[in-house]
Amino acid sequence: IEVFAINIEAPIGTPKEELMKAVAPVDKTVSELDEEELKGYNFKLGIQQISPDDTRVKRGNHIGQFIVYLTPAEARSRNITEIIDGIRSRTLQLQAAKISFYQVKGGLPVGEPVSVGVRGENYEEIVNAVKDVESTLASIEGVSDITNTYNRGKDEVRIVVNPSEASAAHLS
């Protein structure tokens, strides 16, 4: 059985109800795969994790993941890449969330086909360098599902207390 993941990531702070609306077209597309191809699938809200020992696990209300189980290759007319490309072409128009695909492969080597690390002392320069690398990779024919591990997080709120006003309100 061949397996692949469809990772869904909306902006941080997206309510889970909105994420569920965003994944509905993906769910429909996967469920419409021919029974000759589809063994089964599941969807997890709030986590992206291929296996219990996956070091790239991501959590949050703004993410989800489909795990798709295909029938054995010899029982299908399309290979896994063709099936993924078919789903990708039907879900490209989705704007509410970023969609990426990950083909699970058994044995060695494990991990992404290409992994690039960017380090530096200035965070803004790192973010710009990552954008440049992603842009360069995107310009290469055959490269798809470019992702990064940057997680912006929620906006920070700083509260400055006026001591005399706080005292007048009996706050300490």
Side-chain angles (χ1 to χ4, degrees):
I1 293 179
E2 291 181 287
V3 179
F4 67 92
I6 306 172
N7 294 319
I8 316 283
E9 187 164 352
I12 289 178
T14 301
K16 63 183 175 184
E17 295 78 17
E18 282 186 42
L19 182 63
M20 293 306 293
K21 287 179 190 172
V23 303
V26 179
D27 184 51
K28 183 176 186 323
T29 301
V30 172
S31 69
E32 290 173 350
L33 287 174
D34 192 287
E35 65 182 33
E36 165 196 273
E37 298 176 331
L38 182 64
K39 178 99 171 144
Y41 72 99
N42 62 50
F43 176 74
K44 298 181 283 187
L45 176 66
I47 188 168
Q48 291 177 354
Q49 181 178 25
I50 299 297
S51 68
D53 57 346
D54 189 352
T55 59
R56 294 163 295 140
V57 64
K58 292 174 93 173
R59 299 178 193 278
N61 286 339
H62 64 293
I63 62 172
Q65 182 181 60
F66 287 90
I67 302 290
V68 182
Y69 303 91
L70 300 176
T71 57
E74 57 275 359
R76 304 189 309 263
S77 57
R78 295 192 300 170
N79 65 39
I80 190 169
T81 303
E82 292 168 326
I83 293 169
I84 290 171
D85 288 345
I87 295 170
R88 185 191 328 269
S89 69
R90 291 184 60 191
T91 57
L92 278 176
Q93 75 284 358
L94 298 179
Q95 302 296 318
K98 180 180 178 185
I99 299 175
S100 62
F101 296 81
Y102 178 78
Q103 185 175 341
V104 179
K105 296 182 180 182
L108 296 173
V110 295
E112 303 292 340
V114 175
S115 178
V116 178
V118 178
R119 290 198 227 187
E121 294 187 23
N122 181 308
Y123 205 67
E124 189 174 317
E125 289 177 11
I126 294 170
V127 171
N128 288 334
V130 168
K131 288 178 183 176
D132 289 345
V133 169
E134 288 177 331
S135 176
T136 300
L137 290 172
S139 70
I140 300 171
E141 186 177 338
V143 174
S144 62
D145 301 316
I146 301 166
T147 61
N148 69 57
T149 58
Y150 173 64
N151 192 350
R152 184 177 155 263
K154 293 185 177 182
D155 292 333
E156 181 177 311
V157 177
R158 292 186 181 210
I159 299 172
V160 179
V161 177
N162 181 324
S164 60
E165 293 292 329
S167 178
H170 303 291
L171 299 173
S172 58

